[in-house]
Amino acid sequence: AEQYLDDTGHAAWANYTIINLASRKGSDQIGLIGGDSTNGDANAWIWDGTTFGSFTEITAAARLPNPSREELAIAWESNSGHLVAVAVASTPADSIVSKEYTTSWSAATAAFQCAVTGGAIRWLSLKPNPVGDDMVIATESTSGPDVNTCYWTGSAWANFNTHDSAVDFSSMRVVDF
């Protein structure tokens, strides 16, 4: 039956303009991350096969100015089955924050640079290694060079790299991994 999610961080109605889902291979679990444009935060839940639970706020300061952009992402680590939820930070605009769900949600990571300084990230694409707990996140930002990647080691973000020296369109995602 149709359900709704209760954003327990706010007592009033909140508008969600971005939603991403990630299914966990071999289970009924689904990770959901949503961008609350009313309050400027990014939140995540886990579907356990029956109901959504395990609510967490990834950041209260997400960069969510426009519902046509994907400034958040979610994916399951292949070996451990941990869930990683990522959102673009509002300050600095060239960084990401994340939380990892093991048996509960971790604290948010410190903002990690994943774009050239001053390049506001507008698009994310998070892809797990199919045989490990590492992941790669591709970002696209508003000013060149604007296609970048960062590496999730299974416990932390590392290896910021720039791949494109031209300015691409920030009104549409032209990068994936």
Side-chain angles (χ1 to χ4, degrees), residues 27-106:
S27 83
D28 290 338
Q29 291 181 303
I30 300 172
L32 180 151
I33 189 167
D36 169 5
S37 63
T38 303
N39 301 293
D41 53 2
N43 301 307
W45 293 264
I46 299 173
W47 174 262
D48 65 7
T50 306
T51 187
F52 279 102
S54 302
F55 168 81
T56 191
E57 182 177 74
I58 306 305
T59 178
R63 183 164 172 69
L64 299 166
N66 189 321
S68 67
R69 297 177 179 136
E70 287 183 61
E71 294 162 321
L72 40 79
I74 194 164
W76 295 90
E77 293 177 348
S78 297
N79 285 346
S80 69
H82 298 169
L83 182 63
V84 177
V86 180
V88 176
S90 61
T91 306
D94 54 6
S95 63
I96 57 173
V97 293
S98 65
K99 282 189 175 183
E100 181 179 17
Y101 185 87
T102 55
T103 56
S104 62
W105 287 102
S106 68

Side-chain angles (χ1 to χ4, degrees), residues 20-23 33 58 70-77 82-87 96-100 105 114 123-129 133-140 148-154 156-157 173 175-177:
N20 278 336
L21 300 170
S23 60
I33 189 167
I58 306 305
E70 287 183 61
E71 294 162 321
L72 40 79
I74 194 164
W76 295 90
E77 293 177 348
H82 298 169
L83 182 63
V84 177
V86 180
I96 57 173
V97 293
S98 65
K99 282 189 175 183
E100 181 179 17
W105 287 102
C114 202
W123 302 93
L124 299 177
S125 178
L126 180 64
K127 303 295 184 192
N129 180 343
D133 287 337
D134 52 336
M135 299 185 190
V136 172
I137 190 165
T139 70
E140 183 181 2
N148 310 282
T149 56
C150 291
Y151 177 69
W152 174 253
T153 66
W157 293 102
R173 186 175 78 164
V175 62
D176 206 345
F177 189 87

Side-chain angles (χ1 to χ4, degrees), residues 5-31:
L5 289 173
D6 186 11
D7 181 343
T8 58
H10 305 284
W13 182 267
N15 288 317
Y16 277 77
T17 55
I18 305 170
I19 297 286
N20 278 336
L21 300 170
S23 60
R24 182 176 177 190
K25 186 176 180 178
S27 83
D28 290 338
Q29 291 181 303
I30 300 172

